[in-house]
Amino acid sequence: MFLQKVYVLDMRAQQLLRPLACRSLATSHPRAEIKAAAEEEFRTLEIGRKKRERFTAKTFKPATMLPPRYKQQKTDQDWGSVWPAARTFHPATVPFPVRQGYPASGQPTPDKWANAELMKIPNFLHLTPPVIKRQCEALKKFCTPWPAGLETTAKQEKHFPVTVSKSSYLHSSPTIRDPKARIVTLKVHLRSLDLDYHGRDKLLRLVGERYDADTDCLTLVADRCPLSQQNYDYCQYLLTVLYNESMKTEPWEHEKELVDLEKYVWEGSPSQAAAQNVVTARGINDAEELLKEYGQVVTDLHNEGEDEATVLRYQESVMKLLGLTDPQDTATASEPKYIQGEVC
Amino acid sequence: MAPSARRAVLLLRGLAGRHGGCGAALGQRCVSAEAAQAPPPRPRAPRTSLTSPVEHTAEQRGLWYTLQPGVVQRLFSQGGVPKQFLTQCQTFAETCLMVRQPSLTLMDFIRRSDLSLPPNKFLLYGRNGCGKTLSLTGSSSTSPGPRSGGGTSRRWLPSATIEGQYDHPLDAVLWLQHFKTQNAELLKTLQLVTQERYIWSRREVTEPDTPLGELVELGIGRARYSTDCVLALTSELKRHATEGRCKVAVVVDGINTFYSPVSRYRCEDRTLLDPKYFTLFQSFMQLFKSDWKNGIVVGSIDSLANEGWRRDSHLPRYLLRQQGWEALDPFIPIPIEDYDDLEMRSAIDYYLDRHWLQNPQAGSDIGRRELAALSAHNPYLLMQVCRPL
C-alpha cells in the first residue's frame, strides 16, 4: 500500500534520495522506472550489453546480365561470319563445351569460362573447313593451273631441285618493315647434284652441319646482306662455289691420313693383316670368301656403329675364321637338374 | 603399384599385420593372410659336386660349385678378386661360384682351341655387375698361368735398363709374388730354364739355364729390377710355350687399361704419362701378340677400368679404343648378361641356404619377384639388395 502511493516527483531528487550504494546497481534509466512503476512489478536488472540488431551485409545483386551469345546462335549459322579472323578465345561466343587445363584435386578439368589457358593458346576457329573452302574458292580466280608434268614430288625434284624460301612481314606500327625479311633459305637434295664419291665427301666436309643426313638435304641460310635480293644472289653464289670446289681435287688432298678417313676401310688395315696371319697359320688355301666376309663384318662394326647385333656378327665371323664353329648346342640342352630349391 | 606388389613390399618390411592394413586401405579383401603367415620352407642351394669348371656341361647351368681351399688360396691371395666377394666368402665359410653360360662357352672354346696355332683371344664383356671378374676367376681356377689385374699402380720410376720407359717396382714385386704362389710347383715340375743372359748390373747377372723360379726370386728380392724381371719372365715363357714345353694361359681382368692413352702419373713437366712407356704393360702386351703358340688369352673388358669420361658403352670396340682393337683383333667377344630366371632362382636359393636372407618371406614367390625387380636381375645389385635383408 505504501508502494502504490509513491509517485514520481522529480527524477533527480529521487536519485539523490536513494542510498549511494544502490545507485550504481540500479538502473537509472527513467523509462525503466516508469515501466516498473506503471506495471507494479519488480525492476529488472539487465547486466551486459544490449543485444543490437544484427546488420546483414548488403547483398549487391549484379545487374541483370544478358544470356551468353551462343544461346542465341542457330545451329546452322554461318560460322565464318561469327569468327571471321584469328581472335582470342571467347567462351560466350563459342557454342560448344570445351575443357582445358590440369584439374585441381577432386575437381574436374577446368571449363571454358575464364580459362586463361584456352585464351593463351592460338586457336583455329577462324579456319574451319567450310571457311577454308570458301576462301579457296575466292582465291581460285587468281590462280593459274598447276603445271603439267609436275604432278609428283619426284618430278618436281627432278625439274626444280632447288627450293628458295623467304618470309615477308608487315607491321601495323610506325615502322612497317621487319629486318627478318632479308633472310633467304636455299634447300637442295644432294642426290640432285651430280657428284662423285670424292666430290660428295669434300662437299660434306665443307658444309658441315648444314647437311641433314636423314633427309639428304643441304640447307644454306643467308642473312649477311641488308636486302633479300642480295642474300638470294649470295646463296646462288655459295652453291656454285661449293659444287665447283667439290669437283676439284687439290694437290694437298693426297696427304689424307688414316685418322682423316670418313669411314672405316678394312683393306690395308691391321685387322686385315691379322686375319691374313690367322688364315696363313691355319693353312687354309681358299680363304678368299672367309676373309671377305670377315672384312665386311668388321667394316659394318665400325661404320654402322657398335651395338649388340654387330658385335654378335663379329663374334660369329671370328669363330669361323678361327675354326671354332661347332656350337655346343647349349640352347637345346636338357633342363639342369636341381638338388633342391624349387620356387614355392 | 599393383596391389599384389604393394602387399609384397609391405610384407617384406614387416608392416602388414594379420589382416593387412594395406588391404583395407586399397579396399580389397586380404588374400591368404594365413598363407603369408607361414613362411615357405628354406630351400637348399642347388649344388653340383664337380669342382672343376673343366668338367661342367650345360646340365650344370645354374648350379653352384665349391672351389677347393688350395685353389682359393692360390687365386685370392692375388687380389684380382673383388673385396666384397672375399668378405662374402668368409661369411659363408665357403667359396662358391655359379655355373653360367658364358663360362661354359669359354671352357668349350678353350677345349676346342688348336694350341699349335697362335693364341686365341677370348674377351668377356658386359654391363657392370654382370659377373665378368668372377667368370674369369672361375675359369682361371682351372688353369695355372700368369694373371694380372687392372692398372692401379702406385709408384713408378724411370726405367733402370731401358731408356725412356718407366718401371713399377712395387707392383712388379707383388705380381711376381702372386705368380710364384700360383705357378711355383709347375715351374719346378716342368723345369723351365732361362735361355738368355740377363745382366742386371755389373755384379748381378743371370746366366742362361737358370731355373725360372730363381728369376722370380730375384725379382721379388730386388725391387729395382723387378719390372725387368717380369719382362724377362714373360719373354721366356713365351719362348718356352712356342717351343712346346709348357702351355700358358694369360688371364687379364680389365684388359682395356693397357690401351688407355693417359695414366694417373705426371712427368716433371706436368704432362700426363702415356702408359705405352710402362715396361710392365709392355711385358704383358707382348703376350697378346700372335707370334707365339700353345697359349690362350682370356680377358675381361670392363668399363670401370676406363677413365670416367670413356664409360658410355659396355661394348668392346668402344672400350678398347683403336689401339686395343688393332692389338687384339681378331678376338672372340663373349657377352655376359644379367641373370635369367633360372639363375635368379638359383642365386636366391643359395642365399637362403647360407642363411643370408633372414626375412621369412624372402623365399616366397612374391619375395623372389620383388628381389628380381629391385635388382633388375643384375648379380651385383642382387648382392647389395640382399645385404640388409
Side-chain angles (χ1 to χ4, degrees):
Chain A
M1 226 167 101
F2 175 70
L3 283 170
Q4 282 176 1
K5 290 195 182 162
V6 167
Y7 297 106
V8 173
L9 303 168
D10 185 14
M11 289 298 110
R12 282 192 192 164
Q14 279 222 334
Q15 280 176 10
L16 285 166
L17 284 172
R18 272 188 242 143
L20 276 166
C22 296
R23 253 182 240 171
S24 56
L25 290 174
T27 53
S28 50
H29 202 276
R31 281 191 202 147
E33 290 187 357
I34 295 168
K35 239 193 208 171
E39 294 172 2
E40 294 181 358
E41 285 179 2
F42 285 107
R43 292 170 294 185
T44 55
L45 171 63
E46 292 178 21
I47 303 174
R49 270 186 291 170
K50 282 191 187 169
K51 282 184 190 173
R52 290 187 193 168
E53 284 174 29
R54 285 225 180 115
F55 291 107
T56 48
K58 271 190 192 173
T59 45
F60 292 100
K61 284 182 197 167
T64 42
M65 268 180 64
L66 290 173
R69 180 177 281 275
Y70 70 80
K71 291 214 164 109
Q72 286 163 353
Q73 289 173 348
K74 295 187 193 150
T75 47
D76 59 349
Q77 69 178 338
D78 174 27
W79 177 252
S81 310
V82 176
W83 207 281
R87 73 174 281 209
T88 324
F89 186 83
H90 191 267
T93 315
V94 171
F96 50 85
V98 56
R99 291 177 177 265
Q100 167 130 354
Y102 191 83
S105 70
Q107 301 295 321
T109 314
D111 61 8
K112 66 178 180 180
W113 297 102
N115 191 328
E117 289 204 33
L118 271 174
M119 286 193 271
K120 279 191 289 187
I121 58 174
N123 64 71
F124 292 92
L125 293 163
H126 57 292
L127 289 176
T128 50
V131 167
I132 295 176
K133 196 169 177 184
R134 202 190 313 159
Q135 290 174 355
C136 288
E137 293 297 325
L139 285 171
K140 267 203 173 126
K141 54 181 179 290
F142 301 112
C143 296
T144 55
W146 185 257
L150 288 179
E151 288 83 18
T152 61
T153 320
K155 284 186 188 171
Q156 289 159 23
E157 210 185 286
K158 182 183 163 210
H159 294 287
F160 297 97
V162 176
T163 310
V164 176
S165 47
K166 71 178 283 287
S167 291
S168 307
Y169 302 82
L170 186 64
H171 290 282
S172 64
S173 61
T175 316
I176 60 169
R177 298 171 207 291
D178 192 311
K180 293 194 292 234
R182 76 186 192 284
I183 302 173
V184 171
T185 307
L186 186 145
K187 283 190 197 258
V188 64
H189 288 277
L190 280 197
R191 52 179 176 260
S192 317
L193 299 174
D194 189 19
L195 288 168
D196 58 355
Y197 178 80
H198 160 264
R200 189 189 158 94
D201 175 52
K202 190 164 175 185
L203 183 87
L204 291 179
R205 284 171 195 264
L206 285 170
V207 302
E209 284 188 0
R210 295 175 187 81
Y211 175 73
D212 181 11
D214 296 329
T215 52
D216 188 40
C217 185
L218 170 65
T219 310
L220 300 171
V221 179
D223 64 345
R224 54 178 61 193
C225 305
L227 296 182
S228 62
Q229 178 62 42
Q230 295 165 343
N231 283 320
Y232 172 71
D233 291 337
Y234 178 66
C235 276
Q236 300 281 47
Y237 159 76
L238 255 188
L239 188 61
T240 318
V241 155
L242 277 172
Y243 180 75
N244 287 325
E245 286 298 313
S246 313
M247 296 303 282
K248 285 190 230 168
T249 307
E250 301 283 342
W252 42 260
E253 281 185 38
H254 75 276
E255 293 167 22
K256 192 169 164 187
E257 291 185 19
L258 210 69
V259 292
D260 300 320
L261 285 180
E262 61 279 4
K263 61 178 195 182
Y264 183 80
V265 171
W266 185 72
E267 286 77 19
S269 68
S271 176
Q272 188 193 25
Q276 191 61 53
N277 278 346
V278 167
V279 158
T280 327
R282 276 185 67 197
I284 306 172
N285 293 327
D286 202 8
E288 288 293 327
E289 277 196 33
L290 199 65
L291 283 176
K292 196 171 152 200
E293 195 210 325
Y294 176 72
Q296 184 60 46
V297 164
V298 173
T299 315
D300 288 343
L301 181 73
H302 283 88
N303 288 338
E304 284 177 26
E306 191 190 20
D307 56 14
E308 297 280 346
T310 36
V311 173
L312 201 63
R313 269 192 282 158
Y314 174 74
Q315 181 197 29
E316 283 161 13
S317 177
V318 173
M319 273 162 61
K320 271 191 221 165
L321 192 70
L322 298 177
L324 289 169
T325 43
D326 287 321
Q328 205 189 4
D329 224 24
T330 51
T332 55
S334 57
E335 270 297 305
K337 291 187 279 252
Y338 257 21
I339 298 174
Q340 236 194 42
E342 288 294 334
V343 170
C344 60
Chain B
M1 215 195 290
S4 59
R6 181 169 159 73
R7 184 167 167 72
V9 166
L10 291 173
L11 275 176
L12 276 165
R13 288 181 196 157
L15 293 178
R18 191 184 163 78
H19 293 291
C22 64
L26 291 171
Q28 280 197 348
R29 276 184 303 115
C30 247
V31 175
S32 63
E34 289 75 22
Q37 281 264 298
R42 192 175 282 280
R44 278 179 48 211
R47 292 179 194 271
T48 171
S49 51
L50 302 169
T51 55
S52 173
V54 177
E55 299 156 18
H56 293 155
T57 61
E59 290 187 342
Q60 273 83 35
R61 196 168 83 83
L63 305 185
W64 292 80
Y65 68 99
T66 322
L67 294 175
Q68 300 301 313
V71 173
V72 166
Q73 213 241 338
R74 215 182 59 188
L75 287 174
F76 290 4
S77 59
Q78 172 160 6
V81 189
K83 272 191 207 149
Q84 292 177 352
F85 181 67
L86 288 178
T87 357
Q88 199 182 58
C89 293
Q90 274 177 355
T91 318
F92 293 166
E94 63 176 7
T95 312
C96 276
L97 291 171
M98 200 202 300
V99 178
R100 291 183 75 194
Q101 186 52 50
S103 22
L104 289 173
T105 328
L106 182 64
M107 297 312 296
D108 182 52
F109 280 144
I110 293 176
R111 233 174 286 145
R112 286 193 278 135
S113 297
D114 188 350
L115 292 178
S116 63
L117 298 174
N120 287 341
K121 292 167 241 179
F122 306 105
L123 300 184
L124 307 174
Y125 72 95
R127 280 183 293 270
N128 290 338
C130 283
K132 298 184 287 294
T133 312
L134 289 187
S135 301
L136 273 188
T137 315
S139 52
S140 69
S141 68
T142 57
S143 51
R147 196 182 150 185
S148 54
T152 51
S153 327
R154 278 168 294 266
R155 298 215 0 233
W156 57 277
L157 290 174
S159 172
T161 48
I162 308 171
E163 197 56 45
Q165 286 187 349
Y166 298 91
D167 278 355
H168 292 87
L170 297 180
D171 298 299
V173 165
L174 276 173
W175 188 86
L176 284 169
Q177 282 172 337
H178 298 144
F179 181 82
K180 186 175 150 192
T181 351
Q182 285 194 335
N183 301 302
E185 306 89 35
L186 210 62
L187 286 178
K188 269 189 229 151
T189 26
L190 292 175
Q191 289 177 339
L192 298 170
V193 293
T194 56
Q195 290 181 334
E196 254 191 44
R197 192 161 194 248
Y198 296 105
I199 302 171
W200 308 116
S201 69
R202 262 188 297 154
R203 274 168 289 177
E204 286 166 352
V205 175
T206 304
E207 296 293 334
D209 288 333
T210 330
L212 286 183
E214 276 192 29
L215 189 64
V216 173
E217 293 290 338
L218 176 79
I220 295 173
R222 297 278 291 151
R224 192 174 154 73
Y225 305 122
S226 54
T227 325
D228 297 313
C229 273
V230 172
L231 183 63
L233 185 67
T234 44
S235 321
E236 291 288 336
L237 280 173
K238 212 167 140 177
R239 221 173 299 159
H240 284 298
T242 316
E243 288 162 13
R245 274 182 235 117
C246 68
K247 291 186 206 169
V248 177
V250 186
V251 181
V252 187
D253 193 17
I255 204 169
N256 44 327
T257 36
F258 288 115
Y259 303 106
S260 154
V262 292
S263 66
R264 284 160 43 199
Y265 309 107
R266 290 184 187 269
C267 310
E268 287 96 24
D269 57 354
R270 306 282 294 164
T271 52
L272 287 169
L273 208 52
D274 196 327
K276 69 181 180 210
Y277 297 119
F278 294 164
T279 317
L280 201 59
F281 277 25
Q282 284 187 355
S283 42
F284 298 128
M285 273 151 71
Q286 67 173 338
L287 288 170
F288 303 153
K289 290 190 195 154
S290 302
D291 52 0
W292 55 296
K293 291 189 214 166
N294 259 327
I296 289 281
V297 176
V298 181
S300 81
I301 305 177
D302 204 344
S303 64
L304 294 175
N306 265 8
E307 303 89 44
W309 46 266
R310 182 96 185 176
R311 290 181 192 169
D312 288 327
S313 163
H314 60 274
L315 296 168
R317 174 67 181 84
Y318 173 78
L319 290 174
L320 281 176
R321 286 177 257 245
Q322 191 185 347
Q323 204 191 352
W325 173 267
E326 283 171 8
L328 293 169
D329 183 56
F331 62 89
I332 297 190
I334 302 178
I336 300 200
E337 306 284 331
D338 290 325
Y339 280 155
D340 60 10
D341 288 332
L342 177 83
E343 291 165 344
M344 183 58 101
R345 247 186 294 157
S346 171
I348 296 177
D349 283 342
Y350 179 71
Y351 282 137
L352 288 166
D353 174 73
R354 296 279 91 205
H355 293 262
W356 188 236
L357 291 172
Q358 293 290 321
N359 192 305
Q361 301 305 325
S364 66
D365 191 43
I366 287 179
R368 282 169 195 264
R369 285 213 303 258
E370 184 182 348
L371 284 173
L374 282 174
S375 62
H377 292 264
N378 185 288
Y380 182 70
L381 286 177
L382 180 67
M383 185 184 78
Q384 287 195 312
V385 160
C386 291
R387 256 195 243 144
L389 290 178

